[in-house]
Coordinates of all heavy atoms in Angstrom, one line a residue:
M273 N 32.8 158.7 145.5 CA 34.0 158.8 144.7 C 34.1 157.6 143.8 O 33.6 156.5 144.1 CB 35.1 158.8 145.8 CG 36.6 158.6 145.5 SD 37.5 157.2 145.0 CE 36.8 155.8 145.8
E274 N 34.6 157.9 142.6 CA 34.7 156.9 141.6 C 36.1 157.1 141.0 O 36.4 158.2 140.5 CB 33.6 157.0 140.6 CG 33.8 155.9 139.5 CD 32.6 156.0 138.5 OE1 31.5 155.6 138.9 OE2 32.8 156.4 137.4
Q275 N 36.9 156.1 140.9 CA 38.3 156.2 140.3 C 38.6 155.0 139.5 O 38.2 153.9 139.8 CB 39.3 156.4 141.4 CG 39.2 157.6 142.2 CD 40.3 157.8 143.2 OE1 41.0 156.8 143.6 NE2 40.5 159.0 143.7
L276 N 39.4 155.3 138.4 CA 40.0 154.2 137.6 C 41.3 153.8 138.3 O 42.1 154.6 138.6 CB 40.3 154.7 136.2 CG 40.9 153.7 135.2 CD1 39.9 152.6 134.9 CD2 41.3 154.4 134.0
V277 N 41.4 152.5 138.6 CA 42.5 151.9 139.4 C 43.1 150.7 138.8 O 42.4 150.0 138.0 CB 42.2 151.7 140.9 CG1 41.7 152.9 141.6 CG2 41.1 150.5 140.9
M278 N 44.3 150.4 139.2 CA 44.9 149.1 138.9 C 45.2 148.4 140.3 O 45.6 149.2 141.2 CB 46.3 149.2 138.2 CG 46.2 149.9 136.8 SD 45.3 148.8 135.6 CE 46.6 147.6 135.2
I279 N 44.9 147.2 140.4 CA 45.1 146.5 141.7 C 46.5 146.0 141.8 O 47.1 145.4 140.9 CB 44.1 145.4 141.8 CG1 42.7 146.0 141.9 CG2 44.4 144.5 143.0 CD1 41.6 145.0 141.9
I280 N 47.2 146.4 142.9 CA 48.6 145.9 143.1 C 48.6 144.7 144.0 O 49.4 143.8 143.7 CB 49.3 147.1 143.9 CG1 49.4 148.3 142.9 CG2 50.7 146.6 144.2 CD1 50.0 149.5 143.5
E281 N 47.8 144.7 145.1 CA 47.8 143.6 146.0 C 46.4 143.4 146.6 O 45.7 144.4 146.9 CB 48.7 143.9 147.1 CG 48.9 142.9 148.2 CD 49.9 143.3 149.2 OE1 50.8 144.2 149.0 OE2 49.8 142.8 150.4
V282 N 46.0 142.2 146.8 CA 44.6 141.9 147.5 C 44.9 141.1 148.7 O 45.6 140.1 148.7 CB 43.7 141.1 146.5 CG1 42.4 140.9 147.2 CG2 43.5 142.0 145.2
G283 N 44.3 141.6 149.8 CA 44.5 140.8 151.1 C 43.4 139.7 151.2 O 42.5 139.6 150.4
A284 N 43.6 138.9 152.2 CA 42.7 137.8 152.5 C 41.4 138.3 153.2 O 41.4 139.4 153.8 CB 43.4 136.8 153.4
Y285 N 40.3 137.6 153.0 CA 39.1 138.0 153.7 C 39.2 137.7 155.2 O 39.9 136.6 155.5 CB 37.9 137.1 153.1 CG 36.7 137.2 153.8 CD1 35.8 138.3 153.6 CD2 36.2 136.2 154.7 CE1 34.6 138.4 154.3 CE2 35.1 136.3 155.3 CZ 34.2 137.4 155.1 OH 33.0 137.5 155.8
S286 N 38.7 138.5 156.0 CA 38.8 138.2 157.5 C 37.4 138.6 158.1 O 36.7 139.4 157.7 CB 40.0 138.9 158.1 OG 39.7 140.3 158.2
E287 N 37.2 137.9 159.2 CA 36.0 138.1 160.1 C 36.6 138.3 161.5 O 37.4 137.4 162.0 CB 35.0 137.0 160.1 CG 34.3 136.9 158.8 CD 33.1 135.9 158.8 OE1 32.9 135.3 159.9 OE2 32.5 135.7 157.7
R288 N 36.3 139.4 162.2 CA 36.8 139.6 163.5 C 35.6 139.7 164.5 O 34.7 140.6 164.2 CB 37.6 140.8 163.6 CG 39.0 140.7 162.8 CD 39.8 141.8 162.8 NE 39.4 143.1 162.1 CZ 39.3 143.3 160.8 NH1 39.7 142.3 160.0 NH2 38.9 144.4 160.3
Q289 N 35.5 139.0 165.5 CA 34.4 139.0 166.4 C 34.5 140.2 167.4 O 35.7 140.5 167.8 CB 34.4 137.7 167.2 CG 33.2 137.6 168.2 CD 33.3 136.2 168.8 OE1 33.7 135.2 168.4 NE2 32.7 136.2 170.0
Y290 N 33.4 140.9 167.7 CA 33.4 141.9 168.6 C 32.1 141.9 169.3 O 31.1 141.3 168.9 CB 33.7 143.3 168.0 CG 32.6 143.8 167.1 CD1 31.6 144.6 167.5 CD2 32.5 143.4 165.7 CE1 30.6 145.1 166.7 CE2 31.5 143.8 164.9 CZ 30.6 144.7 165.4 OH 29.5 145.2 164.5
Q291 N 32.0 142.6 170.5 CA 30.8 142.8 171.3 C 30.3 144.1 171.1 O 30.9 145.1 171.2 CB 31.2 142.7 172.8 CG 31.6 141.3 173.2 CD 30.5 140.3 173.3 OE1 30.5 139.4 172.6 NE2 29.5 140.5 174.2
R292 N 29.0 144.2 170.7 CA 28.3 145.4 170.5 C 28.0 146.0 171.9 O 28.2 145.3 172.9 CB 27.0 145.2 169.8 CG 27.1 144.8 168.4 CD 25.9 144.7 167.6 NE 24.6 145.0 168.3 CZ 23.4 144.8 167.8 NH1 23.3 144.5 166.6 NH2 22.3 145.0 168.5
Q293 N 27.7 147.3 172.0 CA 27.3 147.9 173.3 C 26.2 147.3 174.0 O 26.1 147.4 175.2 CB 27.2 149.4 173.1 CG 28.4 150.2 172.7 CD 28.2 151.6 172.7 OE1 27.1 152.2 172.4 NE2 29.2 152.4 172.9
D294 N 25.3 146.7 173.2 CA 24.2 146.0 173.9 C 24.5 144.6 174.3 O 23.6 143.8 174.8 CB 22.9 146.0 172.9 CG 23.1 145.2 171.7 OD1 24.2 144.6 171.5 OD2 22.2 145.3 170.8
G295 N 25.8 144.2 174.1 CA 26.2 142.8 174.6 C 26.1 141.7 173.5 O 26.7 140.6 173.7
K296 N 25.5 142.0 172.4 CA 25.4 141.0 171.3 C 26.8 140.8 170.6 O 27.5 141.8 170.4 CB 24.4 141.4 170.3 CG 22.9 141.3 170.8 CD 22.0 141.6 169.7 CE 20.5 141.6 170.3 NZ 19.5 141.9 169.3
T297 N 27.1 139.6 170.1 CA 28.3 139.3 169.4 C 28.0 139.5 167.9 O 27.0 139.0 167.4 CB 28.7 137.9 169.7 OG1 29.0 137.7 171.1 CG2 30.0 137.5 168.9
E298 N 28.9 140.2 167.3 CA 28.8 140.4 165.8 C 30.2 140.2 165.2 O 31.2 140.0 166.0 CB 28.3 141.7 165.5 CG 26.8 141.9 165.7 CD 26.2 143.0 164.9 OE1 26.9 143.6 164.1 OE2 25.0 143.2 165.1
Y299 N 30.3 140.1 163.9 CA 31.5 140.0 163.2 C 31.8 141.1 162.3 O 30.8 141.5 161.5 CB 31.6 138.6 162.4 CG 31.6 137.4 163.3 CD1 30.4 136.9 163.7 CD2 32.7 136.9 163.7 CE1 30.4 135.8 164.6 CE2 32.8 135.8 164.5 CZ 31.6 135.2 165.0 OH 31.6 134.2 165.8
F300 N 33.0 141.7 162.3 CA 33.4 142.7 161.4 C 34.0 142.0 160.2 O 35.1 141.3 160.4 CB 34.4 143.7 162.0 CG 34.8 144.8 161.0 CD1 34.0 145.8 160.7 CD2 36.1 144.7 160.5 CE1 34.4 146.8 159.8 CE2 36.5 145.7 159.6 CZ 35.7 146.7 159.2
K301 N 33.5 142.1 159.0 CA 33.9 141.4 157.8 C 34.7 142.4 156.9 O 34.2 143.5 156.7 CB 32.8 140.8 157.1 CG 31.9 139.9 158.0 CD 30.6 139.5 157.2 CE 29.8 138.8 158.1 NZ 28.5 138.5 157.5
S302 N 35.9 142.0 156.5 CA 36.6 142.9 155.6 C 37.6 142.2 154.6 O 38.0 141.0 154.9 CB 37.4 143.9 156.4 OG 38.4 143.3 157.1
R303 N 37.9 142.9 153.6 CA 38.9 142.4 152.6 C 39.5 143.7 152.0 O 38.9 144.5 151.4 CB 38.3 141.5 151.5 CG 39.4 140.9 150.7 CD 38.8 139.9 149.7 NE 40.0 139.3 149.0 CZ 39.8 138.6 147.9 NH1 38.6 138.5 147.3 NH2 40.9 138.1 147.3
G304 N 40.8 143.8 152.2 CA 41.5 145.0 151.8 C 42.3 144.8 150.5 O 42.6 143.7 150.1
M305 N 42.6 146.0 149.9 CA 43.5 145.9 148.7 C 44.3 147.2 148.5 O 43.8 148.2 148.9 CB 42.6 145.5 147.5 CG 41.6 146.5 147.1 SD 40.7 146.2 145.6 CE 40.0 144.5 145.9
V306 N 45.4 147.0 147.9 CA 46.2 148.2 147.6 C 46.0 148.5 146.1 O 46.1 147.5 145.2 CB 47.7 147.9 147.8 CG1 48.6 149.1 147.4 CG2 47.9 147.6 149.3
M307 N 45.7 149.7 145.7 CA 45.3 150.0 144.4 C 46.3 151.2 143.9 O 46.7 152.0 144.7 CB 43.9 150.5 144.2 CG 42.9 149.4 144.6 SD 41.3 150.0 144.9 CE 41.4 150.9 146.4
K308 N 46.4 151.3 142.6 CA 47.2 152.4 142.1 C 46.2 153.3 141.2 O 45.5 152.8 140.4 CB 48.3 151.9 141.2 CG 49.3 153.0 140.7 CD 50.5 152.2 140.0 CE 51.5 153.3 139.7 NZ 52.3 153.8 140.8
H309 N 46.3 154.5 141.5 CA 45.5 155.5 140.8 C 46.5 156.7 140.3 O 47.0 157.4 141.1 CB 44.5 156.1 141.7 CG 43.7 157.3 141.1 ND1 42.8 157.1 140.1 CD2 43.7 158.6 141.3 CE1 42.3 158.3 139.7 NE2 42.8 159.2 140.5
G310 N 46.8 156.6 139.0 CA 47.8 157.6 138.5 C 49.1 157.2 139.2 O 49.6 156.0 139.1
G311 N 49.7 158.2 139.8 CA 51.0 157.9 140.5 C 50.8 157.6 141.9 O 51.8 157.4 142.6
D312 N 49.6 157.6 142.4 CA 49.4 157.3 143.9 C 49.0 155.9 144.1 O 48.3 155.3 143.3 CB 48.2 158.2 144.3 CG 48.5 159.7 144.3 OD1 49.7 160.0 144.4 OD2 47.6 160.5 143.9
E313 N 49.3 155.4 145.3 CA 48.9 154.1 145.8 C 48.0 154.4 147.0 O 48.3 155.2 147.9 CB 50.1 153.2 146.2 CG 50.9 152.7 145.0 CD 52.0 151.7 145.5 OE1 52.0 151.3 146.6 OE2 52.8 151.5 144.6
V314 N 46.9 153.6 147.1 CA 45.9 153.8 148.2 C 45.5 152.5 148.6 O 45.4 151.5 147.8 CB 44.8 154.7 147.7 CG1 44.0 154.1 146.6 CG2 43.9 155.1 148.9
Y315 N 45.3 152.3 149.9 CA 44.7 151.1 150.5 C 43.2 151.3 150.8 O 42.8 152.4 151.3 CB 45.4 150.8 151.8 CG 44.7 149.6 152.6 CD1 45.1 148.3 152.2 CD2 43.9 149.8 153.6 CE1 44.5 147.2 152.8 CE2 43.2 148.7 154.2 CZ 43.6 147.4 153.8 OH 43.0 146.4 154.5
G316 N 42.4 150.4 150.3 CA 40.9 150.5 150.5 C 40.4 149.2 151.0 O 41.1 148.1 150.8
E317 N 39.3 149.2 151.7 CA 38.7 148.0 152.3 C 37.2 147.9 151.8 O 36.5 148.8 151.8 CB 38.7 148.0 153.8 CG 39.9 147.5 154.4 CD 39.7 147.3 155.9 OE1 39.1 148.1 156.6 OE2 40.4 146.3 156.4
M318 N 36.9 146.6 151.5 CA 35.5 146.2 151.3 C 35.1 145.7 152.7 O 35.8 145.1 153.4 CB 35.4 145.0 150.3 CG 35.8 145.4 149.0 SD 35.6 143.9 147.8 CE 37.3 143.3 148.0
T319 N 33.9 146.1 153.2 CA 33.5 145.7 154.5 C 32.1 145.1 154.4 O 31.4 145.2 153.4 CB 33.5 146.9 155.5 OG1 32.6 147.9 155.0 CG2 34.9 147.4 155.7
G320 N 31.7 144.4 155.5 CA 30.3 143.9 155.7 C 30.0 142.8 154.6 O 30.8 142.0 154.2
E321 N 28.7 142.8 154.2 CA 28.3 141.8 153.2 C 29.0 141.9 151.9 O 29.1 140.9 151.2 CB 26.7 141.9 153.1 CG 26.0 141.5 154.3 CD 26.4 140.1 154.8 OE1 26.5 139.2 154.1 OE2 26.8 140.0 156.1
Y322 N 29.4 143.1 151.5 CA 30.1 143.3 150.3 C 31.5 142.5 150.3 O 31.8 141.9 149.3 CB 30.3 144.7 149.8 CG 30.8 144.9 148.4 CD1 30.0 144.6 147.4 CD2 32.1 145.4 148.2 CE1 30.5 144.7 146.1 CE2 32.6 145.5 146.9 CZ 31.8 145.1 145.8 OH 32.3 145.2 144.6
A323 N 32.1 142.6 151.4 CA 33.4 141.9 151.6 C 33.1 140.4 151.6 O 33.8 139.6 151.0 CB 34.1 142.3 152.9
S324 N 32.1 140.0 152.3 CA 31.7 138.5 152.3 C 31.4 138.0 150.9 O 31.8 136.9 150.6 CB 30.5 138.4 153.3 OG 30.2 137.0 153.4
K325 N 30.7 138.8 150.2 CA 30.3 138.4 148.8 C 31.5 138.2 147.9 O 31.6 137.4 147.0 CB 29.4 139.5 148.2 CG 29.0 139.3 146.8 CD 28.1 140.4 146.4 CE 28.2 140.6 144.9 NZ 27.5 141.8 144.4
N326 N 32.6 139.0 148.2 CA 33.8 139.0 147.4 C 34.9 138.3 148.1 O 36.1 138.5 147.7 CB 34.2 140.4 147.0 CG 33.3 141.0 146.0 OD1 33.5 140.7 144.8 ND2 32.4 141.9 146.3
R327 N 34.7 137.4 149.0 CA 35.7 136.7 149.8 C 36.6 135.9 148.9 O 37.8 135.7 149.2 CB 35.1 135.8 150.9 CG 34.4 134.7 150.4 CD 33.9 133.7 151.5 NE 33.4 134.5 152.6 CZ 33.0 133.9 153.8 NH1 33.1 132.7 154.0 NH2 32.5 134.7 154.8
D328 N 36.0 135.3 147.8 CA 36.8 134.4 146.9 C 37.0 135.0 145.6 O 37.6 134.3 144.7 CB 36.1 133.0 146.8 CG 36.1 132.3 148.1 OD1 37.0 132.4 148.9 OD2 35.0 131.7 148.4
T329 N 36.7 136.2 145.3 CA 36.8 136.9 144.0 C 38.3 137.0 143.7 O 39.1 137.5 144.6 CB 36.1 138.3 144.0 OG1 34.8 138.1 144.4 CG2 36.2 138.9 142.6
S330 N 38.6 136.7 142.5 CA 40.1 136.9 142.0 C 40.1 138.2 141.2 O 39.2 138.5 140.4 CB 40.5 135.8 141.1 OG 40.6 134.5 141.8
F331 N 41.1 139.0 141.5 CA 41.2 140.3 140.8 C 42.5 140.2 140.0 O 43.6 139.9 140.5 CB 41.3 141.4 141.8 CG 40.0 141.6 142.6 CD1 39.8 141.0 143.9 CD2 39.0 142.4 142.0 CE1 38.7 141.2 144.6 CE2 37.8 142.6 142.8 CZ 37.7 142.0 144.0
D332 N 42.4 140.6 138.8 CA 43.5 140.5 137.8 C 44.4 141.8 138.0 O 43.9 142.8 137.8 CB 43.0 140.4 136.4 CG 44.0 140.2 135.3 OD1 45.3 140.3 135.7 OD2 43.7 140.0 134.2
K333 N 45.6 141.6 138.2 CA 46.5 142.8 138.5 C 46.9 143.5 137.2 O 47.5 144.5 137.2 CB 47.8 142.3 139.2 CG 47.5 141.8 140.6 CD 48.7 141.4 141.4 CE 48.3 140.9 142.8 NZ 49.4 140.3 143.5
N334 N 46.6 142.9 136.0 CA 47.0 143.5 134.8 C 45.8 144.1 134.1 O 45.8 144.3 132.9 CB 47.6 142.4 133.8 CG 49.0 141.9 134.4 OD1 49.7 142.7 134.9 ND2 49.1 140.7 134.4
R335 N 44.7 144.4 134.8 CA 43.5 144.9 134.2 C 43.0 146.1 135.0 O 43.1 146.1 136.2 CB 42.4 143.7 134.4 CG 41.2 144.0 133.6 CD 40.3 142.8 133.7 NE 39.2 143.0 132.8 CZ 38.2 142.1 132.6 NH1 38.3 140.9 133.2 NH2 37.2 142.4 131.9
P336 N 42.5 147.1 134.2 CA 41.9 148.3 135.0 C 40.6 148.0 135.6 O 39.8 147.2 135.0 CB 41.9 149.3 133.8 CG 41.8 148.6 132.6 CD 42.5 147.3 132.8
Y337 N 40.3 148.7 136.7 CA 39.0 148.6 137.4 C 38.5 149.9 137.7 O 39.2 150.9 137.8 CB 39.2 147.8 138.7 CG 39.5 146.4 138.6 CD1 40.8 145.9 138.4 CD2 38.5 145.4 138.8 CE1 41.0 144.5 138.3 CE2 38.7 144.0 138.7 CZ 40.0 143.6 138.4 OH 40.3 142.3 138.3
V338 N 37.2 150.0 137.8 CA 36.5 151.2 138.3 C 36.1 150.9 139.8 O 35.4 150.0 140.0 CB 35.3 151.6 137.5 CG1 34.6 152.7 138.2 CG2 35.7 152.0 136.1
A339 N 36.7 151.7 140.7 CA 36.4 151.5 142.1 C 35.5 152.6 142.6 O 35.8 153.8 142.3 CB 37.7 151.4 142.9
R340 N 34.4 152.2 143.3 CA 33.5 153.2 143.9 C 33.6 153.0 145.4 O 33.7 151.9 145.9 CB 32.1 153.0 143.4 CG 31.9 153.3 141.9 CD 30.6 153.0 141.4 NE 30.5 153.2 140.0 CZ 30.7 152.3 139.1 NH1 31.1 151.1 139.4 NH2 30.6 152.6 137.8
G341 N 33.5 154.2 146.1 CA 33.4 154.1 147.5 C 33.4 155.5 148.2 O 33.0 156.5 147.5
F342 N 33.8 155.5 149.4 CA 33.8 156.8 150.1 C 34.9 156.8 151.1 O 35.4 155.8 151.6 CB 32.4 157.0 150.8 CG 32.1 156.0 151.9 CD1 32.4 156.2 153.2 CD2 31.5 154.8 151.6 CE1 32.1 155.3 154.2 CE2 31.2 153.9 152.5 CZ 31.5 154.1 153.8
Y343 N 35.4 158.0 151.4 CA 36.4 158.2 152.4 C 35.7 158.6 153.7 O 34.7 159.2 153.7 CB 37.4 159.4 152.0 CG 38.3 159.0 151.0 CD1 38.1 159.3 149.6 CD2 39.5 158.3 151.3 CE1 39.0 159.0 148.7 CE2 40.4 158.0 150.3 CZ 40.2 158.3 149.0 OH 41.1 158.0 148.0
K344 N 36.3 158.1 154.8 CA 35.8 158.4 156.2 C 37.0 159.0 157.0 O 38.1 158.5 156.9 CB 35.2 157.2 156.8 CG 34.4 157.5 158.1 CD 33.8 156.2 158.5 CE 32.8 156.5 159.6 NZ 32.1 155.3 160.0
H345 N 36.7 160.1 157.7 CA 37.8 160.7 158.5 C 37.4 160.5 160.0 O 36.3 160.6 160.4 CB 37.8 162.2 158.1 CG 38.7 163.0 159.1 ND1 38.1 163.7 160.1 CD2 40.0 163.2 159.1 CE1 39.1 164.3 160.8 NE2 40.2 163.9 160.2
R346 N 38.5 160.3 160.8 CA 38.3 160.2 162.2 C 39.4 161.0 162.9 O 40.5 161.1 162.4 CB 38.2 158.9 162.8 CG 39.5 158.2 163.0 CD 39.2 156.8 163.7 NE 40.4 156.1 163.8 CZ 41.0 155.8 164.9 NH1 40.5 156.1 166.0 NH2 42.2 155.1 164.9
T347 N 39.1 161.7 164.0 CA 40.0 162.4 164.8 C 40.0 161.9 166.2 O 39.0 161.5 166.7 CB 39.6 163.9 164.8 OG1 39.4 164.4 163.5 CG2 40.6 164.8 165.6
W348 N 41.3 161.8 166.8 CA 41.3 161.3 168.1 C 42.5 161.9 168.8 O 43.4 162.5 168.2 CB 41.4 159.8 168.2 CG 42.7 159.2 167.8 CD1 43.6 158.8 168.6 CD2 43.2 158.9 166.5 NE1 44.7 158.2 167.9 CE2 44.5 158.3 166.6 CE3 42.6 159.1 165.2 CZ2 45.2 157.9 165.5 CZ3 43.4 158.7 164.2 CH2 44.6 158.1 164.3
Q349 N 42.6 161.8 170.1 CA 43.7 162.2 170.9 C 44.7 161.1 171.2 O 44.2 160.0 171.7 CB 43.3 162.9 172.2 CG 42.4 164.1 172.1 CD 43.1 165.3 171.6 OE1 44.3 165.5 171.9 NE2 42.5 166.0 170.7
D350 N 45.9 161.2 170.9 CA 46.9 160.1 171.2 C 47.3 160.2 172.7 O 46.8 161.0 173.4 CB 48.1 160.2 170.3 CG 49.0 161.3 170.5 OD1 48.9 162.0 171.5 OD2 49.9 161.5 169.6
Q351 N 48.2 159.3 173.1 CA 48.6 159.2 174.6 C 49.3 160.5 175.0 O 49.4 160.7 176.2 CB 49.5 158.0 174.7 CG 48.7 156.7 174.5 CD 49.7 155.5 174.6 OE1 50.9 155.6 174.6 NE2 49.1 154.3 174.8
N352 N 49.8 161.3 174.1 CA 50.5 162.4 174.4 C 49.7 163.7 174.3 O 50.1 164.8 174.5 CB 51.7 162.6 173.5 CG 52.7 161.5 173.7 OD1 53.0 161.0 174.7 ND2 53.3 161.1 172.5
G353 N 48.4 163.5 174.1 CA 47.4 164.6 174.0 C 47.4 165.3 172.7 O 46.8 166.3 172.6
Q354 N 48.1 164.8 171.7 CA 48.2 165.3 170.4 C 46.9 164.9 169.6 O 46.5 163.8 169.7 CB 49.4 164.9 169.6 CG 50.7 165.3 170.3 CD 50.9 166.8 170.2 OE1 50.6 167.4 169.2 NE2 51.5 167.4 171.2
T355 N 46.4 165.8 168.8 CA 45.2 165.5 168.0 C 45.8 164.8 166.8 O 46.7 165.2 166.1 CB 44.5 166.8 167.5 OG1 44.0 167.5 168.7 CG2 43.4 166.5 166.6
R356 N 45.2 163.6 166.5 CA 45.6 162.8 165.4 C 44.4 162.6 164.4 O 43.3 162.8 164.7 CB 46.0 161.4 165.8 CG 47.0 161.4 167.0 CD 48.4 161.7 166.5 NE 48.9 160.6 165.7 CZ 50.0 160.6 165.1 NH1 50.7 161.6 165.2 NH2 50.3 159.6 164.4
H357 N 44.8 162.4 163.1 CA 43.8 162.3 162.0 C 44.0 161.0 161.3 O 45.2 160.6 161.0 CB 43.8 163.5 161.1 CG 43.5 164.8 161.8 ND1 42.2 165.3 162.0 CD2 44.3 165.7 162.3 CE1 42.3 166.4 162.6 NE2 43.6 166.7 162.9
E358 N 43.0 160.4 160.7 CA 43.1 159.3 159.9 C 42.0 159.3 158.8 O 40.9 159.7 159.1 CB 42.9 158.0 160.7 CG 42.9 156.7 159.9 CD 42.7 155.5 160.7 OE1 41.6 155.4 161.4 OE2 43.6 154.6 160.8
N359 N 42.4 159.0 157.6 CA 41.4 158.8 156.5 C 41.4 157.3 156.1 O 42.4 156.7 156.1 CB 41.9 159.6 155.3 CG 41.8 161.1 155.6 OD1 40.8 161.6 156.1 ND2 42.8 161.8 155.1
A360 N 40.2 156.8 155.9 CA 40.0 155.5 155.5 C 39.2 155.4 154.3 O 38.2 156.2 154.1 CB 39.4 154.6 156.6
L361 N 39.5 154.5 153.3 CA 38.8 154.4 152.1 C 38.0 153.1 152.1 O 38.5 152.0 152.3 CB 39.7 154.3 150.8 CG 39.1 153.9 149.5 CD1 38.0 154.9 149.1 CD2 40.1 153.8 148.4
Y362 N 36.6 153.2 152.0 CA 35.7 152.0 152.0 C 35.2 151.8 150.6 O 34.6 152.7 150.0 CB 34.6 152.2 153.0 CG 35.1 152.3 154.4 CD1 35.3 153.5 155.1 CD2 35.2 151.1 155.1 CE1 35.8 153.6 156.4 CE2 35.7 151.2 156.4 CZ 35.9 152.4 157.0 OH 36.4 152.4 158.3
I363 N 35.5 150.6 150.1 CA 35.1 150.3 148.7 C 33.7 149.7 148.8 O 33.4 148.7 149.4 CB 36.1 149.2 148.1 CG1 37.5 149.9 148.1 CG2 35.6 148.8 146.7 CD1 38.6 148.8 147.8
T364 N 32.8 150.3 148.0 CA 31.4 149.8 147.9 C 31.1 149.1 146.6 O 30.1 148.4 146.6 CB 30.4 151.0 148.0 OG1 30.7 152.0 147.0 CG2 30.5 151.7 149.4
D365 N 32.0 149.2 145.6 CA 31.8 148.5 144.4 C 33.1 148.6 143.6 O 33.7 149.6 143.5 CB 30.6 149.1 143.5 CG 30.3 148.3 142.3 OD1 30.3 147.0 142.4 OD2 30.2 148.9 141.2
I366 N 33.5 147.5 143.0 CA 34.7 147.4 142.1 C 34.3 146.6 140.9 O 33.9 145.4 141.1 CB 35.9 147.1 142.9 CG1 37.1 147.2 142.0 CG2 35.9 145.7 143.5 CD1 38.4 147.3 142.7
Q367 N 34.5 147.1 139.8 CA 34.2 146.4 138.5 C 35.3 146.5 137.5 O 35.9 147.6 137.3 CB 32.9 147.0 137.8 CG 31.7 146.9 138.7 CD 31.2 145.5 138.9 OE1 31.3 144.7 138.1 NE2 30.8 145.2 140.1
A368 N 35.7 145.4 136.8 CA 36.7 145.3 135.8 C 36.2 146.1 134.6 O 35.0 146.0 134.2 CB 37.1 143.9 135.5
L369 N 37.0 146.7 133.9 CA 36.7 147.4 132.6 C 36.8 146.3 131.5 O 37.5 145.4 131.5 CB 37.6 148.5 132.3 CG 37.3 149.8 133.1 CD1 38.3 150.9 132.7 CD2 35.9 150.3 133.0

């Protein structure tokens, strides 16, 4: 997916420690942002090394960007047995025009 967006808000870089199934400790790295595409607002996240690389990047809120990434869908059962759905946007590249 590739979209022309304006950045509304940029979150802080974060690293969250977790245990892999094999017992090794790793860190989930992320930096999220709220973007406007036409009349829609969407939240997306940079993750992994791309997020780490952009931990201190400043994004101009008055400038258009081209955002590239992909959507991921997950389905799960909530505590009441209802099927729930979630879509997440992962940003793999974002460049100012």
Side-chain angles (χ1 to χ4, degrees):
M273 171 286 321
E274 179 177 292
Q275 293 183 341
L276 182 63
V277 300
M278 297 291 284
I279 295 174
I280 297 171
E281 182 182 333
V282 180
Y285 173 79
S286 71
E287 290 186 5
R288 295 179 294 284
Q289 184 177 333
Y290 68 96
Q291 292 287 115
R292 291 184 359 182
Q293 287 184 335
D294 63 7
K296 291 184 181 179
T297 299
E298 287 202 2
Y299 292 89
F300 178 77
K301 304 169 188 177
S302 68
R303 187 172 186 199
M305 60 178 58
V306 178
M307 299 167 286
K308 188 169 186 73
H309 173 70
D312 298 326
E313 288 185 13
V314 62
Y315 174 80
E317 274 189 323
M318 296 176 268
T319 59
E321 291 307 311
Y322 190 67
S324 182
K325 175 181 154 188
N326 285 285
R327 70 174 42 187
D328 297 320
T329 302
S330 294
F331 294 94
D332 186 351
K333 294 180 183 174
N334 296 315
R335 188 172 187 179
Y337 288 82
V338 174
R340 292 177 185 89
F342 62 94
Y343 285 97
K344 193 171 186 179
H345 169 262
R346 82 177 174 111
T347 304
W348 76 97
Q349 298 291 320
D350 69 13
Q351 294 175 345
N352 298 320
Q354 297 292 322
T355 300
R356 308 287 291 177
H357 300 274
E358 176 184 60
N359 293 315
L361 171 60
Y362 293 94
I363 300 166
T364 57
D365 186 43
I366 188 160
Q367 300 292 323
L369 287 181

